[in-house]
Amino acid sequence: GKYADVYALWGESLEQARELTTRVRAEAAKHGRGVRFSVSFRPILAETEEQAWARADHILAETKRLRVVQGYNRGGPQQSEGAKRLLAAAGQ
């Protein structure tokens, strides 16, 4: 809130985005500042919902495979808070 001009969100549910933007705005207001928001989405599109889910499963499997090949899984998973929120929302 004191330094940020833009706060980036990605993949949060509407409720999570509302909670985050409210907190960030309140923190910025403490310092007499306003903040803008950037939201990134990565939609997975296909002809049918079933095909879209199949494509999503393929993307996830390929991502996991590449993480192992590139050595990113050493020492266990290291996820950002945003990634953890996204995975929790996807589980719902």
Side-chain angles (χ1 to χ4, degrees):
K2 187 174 182 179
Y3 301 108
D5 293 318
V6 178
Y7 187 92
L9 299 107
W10 54 285
E12 284 87 1
S13 68
L14 289 176
E15 185 57 38
Q16 289 170 321
R18 185 178 302 110
E19 188 272 330
L20 279 169
T21 56
T22 299
R23 276 193 304 145
V24 170
R25 283 186 176 116
E27 192 61 33
K30 290 178 186 177
H31 303 282
R33 303 184 76 240
V35 64
R36 294 176 294 143
F37 295 92
S38 170
V39 180
S40 296
F41 296 98
R42 303 294 188 267
I44 298 172
L45 307 173
E47 289 294 319
T48 67
E49 184 173 348
E50 182 178 296
Q51 290 172 336
W53 279 110
R55 188 171 180 202
D57 290 338
H58 172 75
I59 291 168
L60 179 59
E62 183 65 4
T63 300
K64 287 179 178 180
R65 184 189 72 76
L66 289 172
R67 285 180 59 82
V68 171
V69 168
Q70 295 171 357
Y72 288 114
N73 279 351
R74 288 178 288 191
Q78 296 177 351
Q79 297 174 335
S80 69
E81 287 304 312
K84 290 176 186 177
R85 288 191 309 270
L86 181 59
L87 289 171
Q92 295 174 354

